[in-house]
Amino acid sequence: MIILGIETSCDETAVSIIEAQGDLKSLGFKYLGSAINSQIKIHSEYGGVVPNIAKREHTKNLPIILEEALRSTGLKDLKSIDLIAVTVGPGLEPALWTGIIFAKELSEKWNIPMVPTNHMDGHIVSVLLNKTEESSVRKIEFPILALLISGGHTEFIFLKSWTEKEKIGQTQDDAVGEAFDKVARMLGLPYPGGPEISNLAEIARTKNIVLENKFPRPMLHSKDLNFSFSGLKTSVLYYLKNLTSISDQTKLAVAREFEDAVIETLISKTQKALQKTEAKTLIIGGGVIANKALRENFLKLKETYSQNYGEIEIIIPEKSLTTDNATMIAAAGFIEYLRDRKPNQNFKAEGNLEVS
Ligand code: KG4
Ligand code: ZN
Protein backbone atom coordinates (compact mmCIF):
# COMPACT_ATOMS: atom_id res chain seq x y z
CA MET A 1 0.00 0.00 0.00
CA ILE A 2 1.35 3.44 -0.97
CA ILE A 3 0.79 6.09 1.71
CA LEU A 4 1.07 9.85 1.48
CA GLY A 5 1.86 11.48 4.83
CA ILE A 6 1.16 15.14 5.62
CA GLU A 7 2.58 16.93 8.65
CA THR A 8 1.88 20.55 9.67
CA SER A 9 1.64 20.42 13.48
CA CYS A 10 4.32 23.01 14.16
CA ASP A 11 6.83 24.82 11.97
CA GLU A 12 7.66 22.17 9.34
CA THR A 13 5.53 21.70 6.24
CA ALA A 14 6.24 18.10 5.29
CA VAL A 15 4.94 15.58 2.76
CA SER A 16 6.29 12.06 2.39
CA ILE A 17 5.46 8.95 0.39
CA ILE A 18 6.16 5.44 1.66
CA GLU A 19 5.20 1.91 0.76
CA ALA A 20 3.86 -0.10 3.68
CA GLN A 21 3.26 -3.82 3.99
CA GLY A 22 2.60 -6.50 6.56
CA ASP A 23 0.40 -6.45 9.61
CA LEU A 24 0.54 -5.27 13.21
CA LYS A 25 2.88 -8.15 14.08
CA SER A 26 5.30 -7.53 11.25
CA LEU A 27 5.38 -4.02 9.81
CA GLY A 28 7.46 -3.25 6.74
CA PHE A 29 8.15 0.17 5.28
CA LYS A 30 9.93 1.38 2.21
CA TYR A 31 10.74 5.05 1.91
CA LEU A 32 9.91 6.40 -1.54
CA GLY A 33 10.44 10.15 -1.30
CA SER A 34 9.63 13.32 0.58
CA ALA A 35 9.94 17.08 0.76
CA ILE A 36 10.02 19.44 3.70
CA ASN A 37 10.04 23.16 4.26
CA SER A 38 11.21 24.49 7.58
CA GLN A 39 9.92 27.84 8.82
CA ILE A 40 12.61 28.08 11.49
CA LYS A 41 14.19 31.21 9.99
CA ILE A 42 10.87 33.06 9.92
CA HIS A 43 9.93 32.17 13.52
CA SER A 44 13.42 32.69 14.94
CA GLU A 45 12.88 36.45 14.59
CA TYR A 46 10.14 36.08 17.23
CA GLY A 47 12.07 33.67 19.46
CA GLY A 48 9.52 30.89 19.00
CA VAL A 49 6.78 29.59 16.71
CA VAL A 50 3.95 32.07 16.00
CA PRO A 51 0.80 29.99 15.23
CA ASN A 52 -0.76 32.35 12.69
CA ILE A 53 2.46 32.79 10.77
CA ALA A 54 2.88 29.01 10.76
CA LYS A 55 -0.66 28.69 9.37
CA ARG A 56 0.02 31.22 6.59
CA GLU A 57 3.28 29.54 5.62
CA HIS A 58 1.82 26.00 5.61
CA THR A 59 -1.09 27.11 3.42
CA LYS A 60 1.29 28.74 0.97
CA ASN A 61 3.81 25.88 0.92
CA LEU A 62 1.70 22.70 1.03
CA PRO A 63 1.00 22.51 -2.74
CA ILE A 64 4.65 23.25 -3.53
CA ILE A 65 5.95 20.65 -1.06
CA LEU A 66 3.48 18.05 -2.38
CA GLU A 67 4.74 18.64 -5.95
CA GLU A 68 8.31 18.34 -4.79
CA ALA A 69 7.64 15.14 -2.82
CA LEU A 70 5.87 13.54 -5.79
CA ARG A 71 8.71 14.53 -8.08
CA SER A 72 11.28 12.99 -5.74
CA THR A 73 9.50 9.63 -6.07
CA GLY A 74 8.97 9.88 -9.84
CA LEU A 75 5.17 10.09 -9.44
CA LYS A 76 3.26 12.63 -11.54
CA ASP A 77 0.06 12.68 -9.54
CA LEU A 78 -1.80 10.92 -6.76
CA LYS A 79 -3.27 8.08 -8.85
CA SER A 80 -1.13 5.40 -7.21
CA ILE A 81 -1.64 6.65 -3.64
CA ASP A 82 -3.82 4.26 -1.59
CA LEU A 83 -4.09 6.17 1.67
CA ILE A 84 -3.52 9.70 3.01
CA ALA A 85 -2.29 10.03 6.61
CA VAL A 86 -2.53 13.47 8.16
CA THR A 87 -1.48 14.74 11.58
CA VAL A 88 -4.55 15.84 13.58
CA GLY A 89 -2.72 16.55 16.87
CA PRO A 90 -1.10 17.32 19.18
CA GLY A 91 0.25 20.65 17.96
CA LEU A 92 -0.77 24.18 17.10
CA GLU A 93 -4.41 24.05 16.02
CA PRO A 94 -4.25 26.74 13.28
CA ALA A 95 -1.26 24.88 11.82
CA LEU A 96 -2.89 21.43 12.13
CA TRP A 97 -6.02 22.63 10.33
CA THR A 98 -4.03 23.61 7.23
CA GLY A 99 -2.80 20.02 6.81
CA ILE A 100 -6.23 18.54 7.51
CA ILE A 101 -7.99 20.82 4.99
CA PHE A 102 -5.32 20.13 2.37
CA ALA A 103 -5.54 16.36 2.95
CA LYS A 104 -9.33 16.49 2.68
CA GLU A 105 -9.18 18.30 -0.65
CA LEU A 106 -6.76 15.71 -2.01
CA SER A 107 -8.81 12.86 -0.60
CA GLU A 108 -11.98 14.12 -2.31
CA LYS A 109 -10.33 15.05 -5.59
CA TRP A 110 -8.51 11.71 -5.99
CA ASN A 111 -10.99 9.57 -4.10
CA ILE A 112 -8.39 8.29 -1.62
CA PRO A 113 -9.31 7.31 1.96
CA MET A 114 -7.59 9.23 4.72
CA VAL A 115 -6.66 8.38 8.31
CA PRO A 116 -6.12 10.75 11.24
CA THR A 117 -2.65 10.40 12.74
CA ASN A 118 -1.25 11.29 16.15
CA HIS A 119 2.03 13.20 15.86
CA MET A 120 3.46 11.42 18.93
CA ASP A 121 2.69 8.00 17.42
CA GLY A 122 4.76 9.24 14.50
CA HIS A 123 7.74 9.94 16.76
CA ILE A 124 7.40 6.42 18.24
CA VAL A 125 7.27 4.57 14.90
CA SER A 126 10.03 6.74 13.40
CA VAL A 127 12.43 4.03 14.64
CA LEU A 128 10.93 1.56 12.18
CA LEU A 129 11.93 3.67 9.22
CA ASN A 130 15.06 3.78 7.19
CA LYS A 131 15.55 6.37 4.48
CA THR A 132 18.74 4.89 3.11
CA GLU A 133 18.08 1.15 2.88
CA GLU A 134 15.91 -0.46 0.21
CA SER A 135 13.19 -1.49 2.62
CA SER A 136 12.96 -2.13 6.30
CA VAL A 137 11.16 -4.80 8.24
CA ARG A 138 12.33 -4.39 11.78
CA LYS A 139 11.47 -6.88 14.49
CA ILE A 140 10.98 -5.11 17.78
CA GLU A 141 10.37 -6.89 21.02
CA PHE A 142 7.44 -5.83 23.21
CA PRO A 143 6.80 -4.46 25.74
CA ILE A 144 8.27 -1.16 24.60
CA LEU A 145 9.00 1.89 26.68
CA ALA A 146 8.97 5.04 24.53
CA LEU A 147 10.56 8.24 25.78
CA LEU A 148 9.31 11.17 23.71
CA ILE A 149 11.31 14.36 24.05
CA SER A 150 10.45 17.33 21.87
CA GLY A 151 9.65 21.02 21.98
CA GLY A 152 6.11 20.35 23.17
CA HIS A 153 6.37 17.01 24.99
CA THR A 154 8.35 15.04 27.50
CA GLU A 155 6.63 11.77 28.27
CA PHE A 156 6.91 8.03 28.75
CA ILE A 157 4.55 5.80 26.78
CA PHE A 158 4.33 2.09 27.58
CA LEU A 159 3.35 -0.14 24.66
CA LYS A 160 2.20 -3.74 25.01
CA SER A 161 1.67 -3.80 21.24
CA TRP A 162 1.52 -1.13 18.51
CA THR A 163 -2.10 -0.48 19.45
CA GLU A 164 -2.11 -0.90 23.25
CA LYS A 165 -0.49 2.22 24.66
CA GLU A 166 -0.51 4.03 27.95
CA LYS A 167 1.12 7.23 29.15
CA ILE A 168 2.99 6.46 32.38
CA GLY A 169 4.85 9.71 33.03
CA GLN A 170 5.15 13.25 31.74
CA THR A 171 6.49 16.70 32.43
CA GLN A 172 4.49 18.74 34.87
CA ASP A 173 5.54 22.04 33.32
CA ASP A 174 8.00 22.76 30.48
CA ALA A 175 8.93 20.19 27.86
CA VAL A 176 12.62 19.44 27.68
CA GLY A 177 13.02 20.99 24.19
CA GLU A 178 11.20 24.07 25.45
CA ALA A 179 13.71 24.33 28.32
CA PHE A 180 16.58 24.13 25.82
CA ASP A 181 14.92 26.86 23.73
CA LYS A 182 14.28 29.14 26.73
CA VAL A 183 17.77 28.77 28.19
CA ALA A 184 19.24 29.45 24.75
CA ARG A 185 17.22 32.64 24.61
CA MET A 186 18.59 33.73 28.00
CA LEU A 187 22.07 33.25 26.58
CA GLY A 188 21.21 35.34 23.52
CA LEU A 189 21.23 32.33 21.18
CA PRO A 190 18.79 31.93 18.25
CA TYR A 191 15.73 29.65 18.07
CA PRO A 192 15.69 26.63 18.11
CA GLY A 193 18.01 26.58 21.06
CA GLY A 194 18.70 22.84 21.36
CA PRO A 195 21.41 22.58 18.69
CA GLU A 196 22.97 25.89 19.85
CA ILE A 197 23.26 24.78 23.49
CA SER A 198 24.52 21.41 22.36
CA ASN A 199 27.33 23.03 20.32
CA LEU A 200 28.43 25.25 23.21
CA ALA A 201 28.29 22.37 25.68
CA GLU A 202 30.47 20.28 23.43
CA ILE A 203 33.07 23.05 23.13
CA ALA A 204 33.01 23.45 26.93
CA ARG A 205 33.69 19.73 27.34
CA THR A 206 36.63 19.72 24.94
CA LYS A 207 38.10 22.82 26.62
CA ASN A 208 37.36 21.46 30.09
CA ILE A 209 35.28 24.49 31.05
CA VAL A 210 33.06 23.84 34.08
CA LEU A 211 30.59 26.07 35.89
CA GLU A 212 31.41 26.55 39.57
CA ASN A 213 27.68 26.31 40.42
CA LYS A 214 25.56 23.20 40.00
CA PHE A 215 22.03 23.50 38.61
CA PRO A 216 19.36 21.24 40.14
CA ARG A 217 18.52 17.82 38.70
CA PRO A 218 14.74 18.16 38.99
CA MET A 219 12.66 15.32 40.47
CA LEU A 220 15.63 12.99 40.29
CA HIS A 221 14.59 11.17 43.44
CA SER A 222 10.81 11.31 43.10
CA LYS A 223 9.23 7.85 42.97
CA ASP A 224 7.01 8.58 39.97
CA LEU A 225 8.00 8.83 36.32
CA ASN A 226 7.20 12.51 35.94
CA PHE A 227 9.52 15.34 34.98
CA SER A 228 9.78 19.04 35.71
CA PHE A 229 12.07 21.42 33.88
CA SER A 230 10.83 24.86 34.86
CA GLY A 231 12.84 24.93 38.13
CA LEU A 232 16.02 24.12 36.24
CA LYS A 233 15.25 26.87 33.74
CA THR A 234 14.60 29.34 36.58
CA SER A 235 17.92 28.41 38.25
CA VAL A 236 19.71 29.33 35.03
CA LEU A 237 17.77 32.60 34.91
CA TYR A 238 18.72 33.56 38.50
CA TYR A 239 22.32 32.55 37.96
CA LEU A 240 22.57 34.81 34.93
CA LYS A 241 20.69 37.68 36.62
CA ASN A 242 23.37 37.88 39.31
CA LEU A 243 26.13 38.42 36.79
CA THR A 244 27.08 41.90 35.64
CA SER A 245 27.90 40.60 32.18
CA ILE A 246 27.79 37.23 30.42
CA SER A 247 31.13 36.36 28.90
CA ASP A 248 31.57 33.76 26.16
CA GLN A 249 33.27 31.58 28.75
CA THR A 250 30.19 31.79 30.99
CA LYS A 251 27.91 30.89 28.07
CA LEU A 252 29.96 27.76 27.42
CA ALA A 253 29.95 26.76 31.09
CA VAL A 254 26.22 27.41 31.55
CA ALA A 255 25.34 25.48 28.38
CA ARG A 256 27.37 22.50 29.57
CA GLU A 257 26.01 22.49 33.10
CA PHE A 258 22.42 22.89 31.85
CA GLU A 259 22.84 20.08 29.32
CA ASP A 260 24.45 17.84 31.95
CA ALA A 261 21.52 18.45 34.31
CA VAL A 262 19.02 17.54 31.57
CA ILE A 263 20.94 14.44 30.54
CA GLU A 264 21.34 13.17 34.09
CA THR A 265 17.63 13.66 34.74
CA LEU A 266 16.50 11.94 31.53
CA ILE A 267 18.87 9.00 31.94
CA SER A 268 18.03 8.44 35.59
CA LYS A 269 14.25 8.63 35.05
CA THR A 270 14.48 6.32 32.06
CA GLN A 271 16.42 3.76 34.06
CA LYS A 272 13.71 3.92 36.71
CA ALA A 273 10.98 3.51 34.06
CA LEU A 274 12.76 0.51 32.52
CA GLN A 275 13.02 -1.19 35.90
CA LYS A 276 9.39 -0.45 36.71
CA THR A 277 7.97 -1.62 33.38
CA GLU A 278 10.47 -4.40 32.61
CA ALA A 279 10.31 -3.24 29.01
CA LYS A 280 12.44 -5.19 26.53
CA THR A 281 12.93 -2.26 24.16
CA LEU A 282 13.46 1.44 24.73
CA ILE A 283 12.51 3.76 21.89
CA ILE A 284 13.55 7.40 22.07
CA GLY A 285 11.82 9.84 19.73
CA GLY A 286 11.43 13.59 19.25
CA GLY A 287 13.71 16.46 18.30
CA VAL A 288 15.80 16.46 21.49
CA ILE A 289 17.27 13.03 20.76
CA ALA A 290 19.22 14.73 17.97
CA ASN A 291 21.43 15.84 20.90
CA LYS A 292 24.78 14.10 20.56
CA ALA A 293 25.77 13.95 24.23
CA LEU A 294 22.34 12.60 25.13
CA ARG A 295 22.61 9.88 22.47
CA GLU A 296 26.02 8.88 23.81
CA ASN A 297 24.68 8.67 27.34
CA PHE A 298 21.79 6.47 26.23
CA LEU A 299 24.25 4.10 24.56
CA LYS A 300 26.13 3.90 27.87
CA LEU A 301 22.83 3.23 29.66
CA LYS A 302 22.21 0.27 27.31
CA GLU A 303 25.49 -1.28 28.44
CA THR A 304 25.15 -0.69 32.16
CA TYR A 305 21.47 -1.64 32.20
CA SER A 306 22.06 -4.85 30.26
CA GLN A 307 24.89 -5.82 32.62
CA ASN A 308 22.91 -5.15 35.79
CA TYR A 309 19.27 -5.80 35.02
CA GLY A 310 18.99 -7.85 31.82
CA GLU A 311 19.31 -7.34 28.10
CA ILE A 312 17.64 -4.23 26.70
CA GLU A 313 17.45 -2.92 23.15
CA ILE A 314 17.64 0.86 22.73
CA ILE A 315 16.47 2.24 19.40
CA ILE A 316 16.95 5.82 18.27
CA PRO A 317 15.65 7.02 14.89
CA GLU A 318 18.07 8.01 12.17
CA LYS A 319 18.96 11.67 12.51
CA SER A 320 16.78 13.08 9.71
CA LEU A 321 13.77 11.36 11.29
CA THR A 322 14.23 12.66 14.85
CA THR A 323 12.78 16.10 14.18
CA ASP A 324 9.31 16.60 12.70
CA ASN A 325 8.75 14.91 9.34
CA ALA A 326 5.93 13.36 7.32
CA THR A 327 7.59 9.97 6.78
CA MET A 328 6.85 9.03 10.40
CA ILE A 329 3.27 10.28 9.94
CA ALA A 330 2.74 8.04 6.92
CA ALA A 331 4.04 5.06 8.93
CA ALA A 332 1.87 5.86 11.97
CA GLY A 333 -1.06 6.28 9.55
CA PHE A 334 -0.54 2.70 8.34
CA ILE A 335 -0.83 1.40 11.91
CA GLU A 336 -3.97 3.49 12.39
CA TYR A 337 -5.35 2.06 9.16
CA LEU A 338 -4.58 -1.55 10.20
CA ARG A 339 -6.19 -0.93 13.52
CA ASP A 340 -9.41 0.59 12.28
CA ARG A 341 -9.81 -0.36 8.62
CA LYS A 342 -12.76 2.02 8.42
CA PRO A 343 -11.08 5.27 7.51
CA ASN A 344 -12.66 8.03 9.50
CA GLN A 345 -13.94 11.07 7.62
CA ASN A 346 -14.65 13.15 10.69
CA PHE A 347 -11.38 15.01 11.09
CA LYS A 348 -10.65 17.85 13.43
CA ALA A 349 -7.49 19.41 14.82
CA GLU A 350 -6.86 18.52 18.47
CA GLY A 351 -4.09 20.60 19.97
CA ASN A 352 -3.84 18.44 23.09
CA LEU A 353 -4.49 15.04 21.54
CA GLU A 354 -3.18 12.22 23.72
CA VAL A 355 -1.64 8.95 22.59
CA SER A 356 -4.33 6.25 22.70
O1 KG4 B 1 10.21 16.97 17.58
P1 KG4 B 1 10.54 18.37 17.22
O2 KG4 B 1 11.20 18.63 15.89
O3 KG4 B 1 9.27 19.28 17.25
C1 KG4 B 1 8.29 19.20 18.21
O4 KG4 B 1 7.37 18.37 18.02
O5 KG4 B 1 8.41 19.96 19.19
O6 KG4 B 1 11.46 18.97 18.40
C2 KG4 B 1 11.93 20.29 18.40
C3 KG4 B 1 12.73 20.51 19.67
C4 KG4 B 1 13.15 21.98 19.87
O7 KG4 B 1 12.84 22.38 21.18
C5 KG4 B 1 14.66 21.93 19.66
O8 KG4 B 1 15.37 22.91 20.40
C6 KG4 B 1 15.00 20.54 20.12
O9 KG4 B 1 13.94 19.74 19.64
N1 KG4 B 1 16.28 20.08 19.57
C7 KG4 B 1 17.35 19.79 20.33
C8 KG4 B 1 18.41 19.47 19.44
N2 KG4 B 1 17.91 19.54 18.16
C9 KG4 B 1 16.61 19.91 18.26
N3 KG4 B 1 17.52 19.81 21.67
C10 KG4 B 1 18.74 19.49 22.15
N4 KG4 B 1 19.80 19.18 21.36
C11 KG4 B 1 19.68 19.15 20.01
N5 KG4 B 1 20.72 18.83 19.26
ZN1 ZN C 1 7.50 16.50 17.01
Side-chain angles (χ1 to χ4, degrees), residues 62-282:
L62 271 166
I64 304 165
I65 293 300
L66 171 67
E67 278 284 325
E68 213 178 292
L70 287 172
R71 219 178 310 129
S72 76
T73 60
L75 295 174
K76 282 198 191 61
D77 54 37
L78 273 70
K79 247 185 243 139
S80 49
I81 305 288
D82 301 302
L83 184 71
I84 298 174
V86 62
T87 307
V88 295
L92 305 167
E93 287 194 1
L96 288 163
W97 274 118
T98 63
I100 296 172
I101 291 166
F102 187 69
K104 235 179 183 159
E105 282 169 10
L106 295 177
S107 163
E108 278 161 20
K109 179 169 174 203
W110 294 92
N111 198 21
I112 305 167
M114 62 190 245
V115 279
T117 306
N118 184 311
H119 181 85
M120 304 317 285
D121 282 339
H123 279 302
I124 297 174
V125 301
S126 62
V127 296
L128 293 175
L129 297 155
N130 194 320
K131 279 173 84 172
T132 41
E133 272 174 30
E134 251 300 283
S135 90
S136 58
V137 179
R138 186 159 196 176
K139 272 261 169 271
I140 294 191
E141 220 182 321
F142 287 94
I144 296 173
L145 174 71
L147 169 66
L148 302 178
I149 39 178
S150 69
H153 291 82
T154 303
E155 58 195 31
F156 284 120
I157 309 287
F158 181 66
L159 293 94
K160 282 194 203 144
S161 71
W162 290 116
T163 54
E164 292 164 282
K165 294 167 264 177
E166 186 194 348
K167 190 181 341 181
I168 56 168
Q170 64 183 319
T171 181
Q172 300 188 325
D173 38 61
D174 291 354
V176 62
E178 190 181 354
F180 267 101
D181 295 337
K182 287 178 176 168
V183 168
R185 207 164 160 184
M186 293 173 205
L187 295 173
L189 303 167
Y191 172 86
E196 303 284 335
I197 299 259
S198 167
N199 284 340
L200 295 190
E202 184 148 349
I203 297 170
R205 280 186 203 103
T206 51
K207 292 189 172 173
N208 231 346
I209 296 170
V210 199
L211 195 73
E212 68 278 18
N213 281 47
K214 275 268 208 186
F215 295 138
R217 273 64 176 154
M219 297 181 76
L220 203 59
H221 301 294
S222 74
K223 288 218 158 45
D224 57 28
L225 299 176
N226 292 328
F227 299 95
S228 161
F229 290 103
S230 89
L232 170 59
K233 173 196 71 187
T234 312
S235 301
V236 180
L237 182 70
Y238 284 137
Y239 177 78
L240 295 173
K241 262 193 174 162
N242 283 329
L243 304 176
T244 39
S245 68
I246 306 173
S247 66
D248 285 348
Q249 179 96 356
T250 305
K251 283 188 188 178
L252 292 172
V254 167
R256 177 183 180 176
E257 173 56 20
F258 168 76
E259 192 175 85
D260 283 348
V262 168
I263 291 175
E264 213 177 306
T265 308
L266 290 175
I267 296 285
S268 153
K269 279 281 165 175
T270 303
Q271 172 154 345
K272 198 173 275 175
L274 285 170
Q275 283 172 271
K276 237 180 180 165
T277 58
E278 297 182 352
K280 294 267 188 290
T281 307
L282 170 67

